[in-house]
């Protein structure tokens, strides 16, 4: 009988709880809409020009580099993971898996020949981020990309946070010794695998693989910058990979305006 009474009491609270959730959601929608004069790009532009967005954070993914000729990862048929059959991988993501790399580094080194910076040009999306910087509005650009096109578009390195690393450096995966990225690049173009001069271990660029921790700077900057952001612009990412995707929630919790412009 006691359990039955508790169940009935809990059921009586459900409508009230659902009502509160719906009411809170509507309030959030009204608040977001009240920030914009219109729910389109013109409204966003007006919001920025009004001076209310002085610390803009950009979250960028592979989609902003597709028009440069670099495939994204997950689009069926055209995405990078759909094009890796030639490497005979046990699963597509294995090419970026640190455990598989230790076992067989050759597929990554073959793919790196196509991914190494220098063969592609920035897209309008990259120059849009540069424009925000030139206008003094960009707080930080967080990118999942390893193509380096943000810097090639003219963004200073301190304004860019490569959440998944970059080709700017290289380390031995055994002893941790820093190695010449130019030596790694030469090995890539010679169809070889770079090894450490100290211990003979495998060397890889400082691109973050599955099974590795994200750069310390990413965690440090996300905490500081999301606390200051007054506008978050998300471009070219499906927000699947964590912890990058969770940054959006950090912005919304602080009642900031978030704009997702993948189309």
């Amino acid at each position: 009988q006691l359990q039955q009474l508790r169940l009935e009491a809990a059921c009586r609270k459900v409508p009230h709880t659902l009502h509160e959730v719906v009411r809170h959601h509507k309030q959030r929608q009204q608040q977001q809409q009240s920030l914009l004069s219109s729910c389109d790009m013109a409204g966003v532009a007006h919001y920025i020009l009004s001076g209310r967005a002085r610390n803009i954070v950009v979250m960028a993914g592979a989609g902003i580099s597709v028009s440069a000729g670099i495939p994204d990862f997950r689009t069926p048929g055209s995405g990078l993971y759909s094009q890796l059959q030639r490497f005979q991988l046990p699963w597509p993501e294995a090419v970026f898996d640190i455990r598989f790399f230790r076992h067989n580094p050759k597929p990554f080194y073959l793919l790196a020949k196509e991914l190494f910076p220098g063969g592609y040009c920035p897209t309008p999306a990259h120059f849009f981020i540069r424009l925000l910087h030139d206008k003094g509005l960009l707080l930080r650009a967080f990118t999942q990309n390893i193509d380096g096109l943000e810097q090639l578009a003219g963004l200073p390195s301190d304004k860019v946070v490569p959440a998944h690393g970059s080709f700017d450096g290289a380390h031995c995966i055994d002893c941790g010794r820093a190695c010449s990225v130019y030596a790694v690049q030469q090995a890539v173009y010679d169809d070889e695998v770079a090894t450490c001069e100290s211990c003979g271990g495998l060397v890889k660029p400082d691109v973050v693989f599955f099974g590795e921790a994200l750069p310390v700077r990413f965690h440090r900057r996300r905490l500081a910058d999301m606390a200051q952001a007054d506008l978050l612009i998300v471009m070219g990412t499906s927000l699947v990979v964590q912890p990058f995707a969770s940054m959006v929630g950090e912005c919304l919790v602080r009642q900031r305006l978030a704009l997702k412009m993948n189309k």
Side-chain angles (χ1 to χ4, degrees):
Q1 290 179 342
L2 182 59
Q3 290 179 341
Q4 180 66 26
L5 289 173
R6 288 174 176 171
L7 178 60
E8 291 175 357
C11 289
R12 284 195 296 270
K13 293 180 180 179
V14 169
H16 174 72
T17 303
L18 291 176
H19 175 74
E20 290 297 318
V21 170
V22 171
R23 185 171 64 84
H24 178 69
H25 178 67
K26 288 182 177 180
Q27 288 176 344
R28 287 291 302 276
Q29 283 185 321
Q30 291 171 356
Q31 181 185 38
Q32 292 287 312
Q33 291 173 356
S34 66
L35 292 174
L36 300 177
S37 57
S38 59
C39 293
D40 53 19
M41 293 305 298
V44 175
H46 182 267
Y47 178 80
I48 295 175
L49 290 172
S50 71
R52 287 180 287 174
R54 299 179 180 274
N55 293 293
I56 299 176
V57 170
V58 173
M59 291 173 61
I64 72 169
S65 297
V66 169
S67 63
I70 304 174
D72 63 12
F73 287 90
R74 291 179 171 80
T75 299
S78 62
L80 182 64
Y81 289 148
S82 298
Q83 303 177 25
L84 297 178
Q85 296 92 341
R86 65 187 187 275
F87 296 138
Q88 299 181 342
L89 299 169
W91 66 95
E93 294 87 349
V95 72
F96 293 116
D97 188 283
I98 190 63
R99 295 167 300 176
F100 183 81
F101 181 82
R102 287 182 178 277
H103 170 71
N104 183 9
K106 195 64 176 177
F108 172 76
Y109 266 80
L110 291 173
L111 181 62
K113 186 180 294 187
E114 304 172 23
L115 298 179
F116 234 100
Y120 302 96
C121 296
T123 70
H126 295 100
F127 287 113
F128 167 69
I129 303 173
R130 161 72 186 276
L131 179 63
L132 293 177
H133 168 67
D134 290 345
K135 296 295 184 180
L137 301 174
L138 181 69
L139 177 60
R140 207 80 55 197
F142 291 81
T143 179
Q144 292 176 293
N145 301 333
I146 57 176
D147 51 39
L149 293 185
E150 292 84 7
Q151 289 94 327
L152 197 58
L155 274 178
S157 295
D158 67 304
K159 286 292 182 179
V160 182
V161 179
H164 296 160
S166 70
F167 284 93
D168 291 343
H171 285 79
C172 171
I173 65 172
D174 288 331
C175 71
R177 179 178 181 271
C179 303
S180 168
V181 70
Y182 301 106
V184 174
Q185 186 176 23
Q186 189 62 50
V188 166
Y189 290 136
D190 289 343
D191 292 327
E192 298 176 354
V193 174
T195 55
C196 178
E197 295 180 356
S198 296
C199 71
L202 294 171
V203 172
K204 78 171 188 64
D206 291 340
V207 174
V208 178
F209 279 19
F210 294 108
E212 292 186 305
L214 268 60
V216 173
R217 182 168 177 258
F218 165 75
H219 295 291
R220 185 174 67 248
R221 288 263 50 98
R222 71 181 280 199
L223 291 174
D225 294 340
M226 298 308 287
Q228 299 181 55
D230 44 32
L231 173 60
L232 173 65
I233 300 177
V234 182
M235 301 190 298
T237 172
S238 56
L239 295 176
V240 171
V241 179
Q242 296 288 357
F244 189 87
S246 63
M247 290 175 60
V248 174
E250 295 171 12
C251 180
L252 294 178
V253 162
R254 295 179 172 87
Q255 304 291 316
R256 306 294 197 260
L257 177 62
L259 171 67
K260 195 169 190 291
M261 43 190 297
N262 278 359
K263 301 293 185 182

